[in-house]
Amino acid sequence: MRHALILTLLVACGGGTPTPTGTVCPDPDPGTLTYDNFGKPFMEKYCTWCHAADIPRSQRNGAPIYHDYDSLLGVLETPDHIDEQAGSGPDASNDFMPPGRCPSVAGGSLSKSCAQPTEEERQQLAQWIACERNRPHTF
Ligand code: HEC
């Protein structure tokens, strides 16, 4: 019985596959989360250690090329992937990214635990992406 419970918990928490969070930008867009006040600092804190355009393939610690989050344009090239890997919302709570081990300098060797976003930050990420992708951009 006890084992069955533990097994259920393990399956519920540990497994899972990247799933769209189903987050929708409120209409009208409240405009509270922006690239400057949220997206950029979030990416720099958690993601650009591996996902940046200036880190060559050999130093990305496995992060796929063309997933570069050191610019708004880069983020908006794979918004669904970001939502499915790191966002949280009504349909899913995704914590696949960042992974467990991180470099202490961008592109360096894996030497420490990655800082992990809070649940609230993951919800804000999904919310920001949902809104930002619909805003007008000049690029
Ligand atoms: C330590 C380096 C590292 C950090 C930091 C990191 N990633 Fe990754 N990322 C990877 C690796 C390695 C893969 C490939 C993993 C795989 O395919 O299973 C990956 C894959 C991805 C993918 C592509 C998945 C796909 O194939 O569609 C996305 C999107 C992504 N990461 C987003 C993020 C976001 C957002 C952050 C910050 C919250 C982040 N990553 C932080 C290493 C990293």
Side-chain angles (χ1 to χ4, degrees):
M1 182 58 206
R2 202 185 164 87
H3 284 110
L5 179 64
I6 290 169
L7 193 65
T8 310
L9 286 173
L10 278 176
V11 170
C13 308
T17 46
T19 306
T21 66
T23 304
V24 177
C25 185
D27 184 14
D29 179 350
T32 39
L33 296 171
T34 66
Y35 180 61
D36 285 337
N37 77 14
F38 178 78
K40 189 170 193 284
F42 180 96
M43 291 297 161
E44 286 174 356
K45 184 168 183 190
Y46 299 115
C47 312
T48 56
W49 305 103
C50 306
H51 292 273
D54 62 351
I55 308 178
R57 188 198 287 256
S58 62
Q59 291 174 31
R60 295 171 73 93
N61 284 300
I65 55 168
Y66 306 126
H67 286 65
D68 296 323
Y69 304 139
D70 54 328
S71 68
L72 178 56
L73 174 61
V75 168
L76 292 178
E77 280 172 349
T78 60
D80 295 319
H81 287 173
I82 295 173
D83 180 80
E84 291 166 21
Q85 292 288 328
S88 185
D91 296 346
S93 203
N94 297 306
D95 57 3
F96 305 96
M97 287 285 143
R101 300 290 292 170
C102 266
S104 41
V105 292
S109 59
L110 301 176
S111 58
K112 61 170 196 181
S113 299
C114 295
Q116 294 292 332
T118 63
E119 168 63 19
E120 189 188 3
E121 287 176 309
R122 291 189 187 279
Q123 289 173 9
Q124 290 175 322
L125 174 68
Q127 184 78 241
W128 170 62
I129 296 271
C131 292
E132 188 68 60
R133 65 191 303 167
N134 295 329
R135 293 174 186 158
H137 299 103
T138 49
F139 42 72

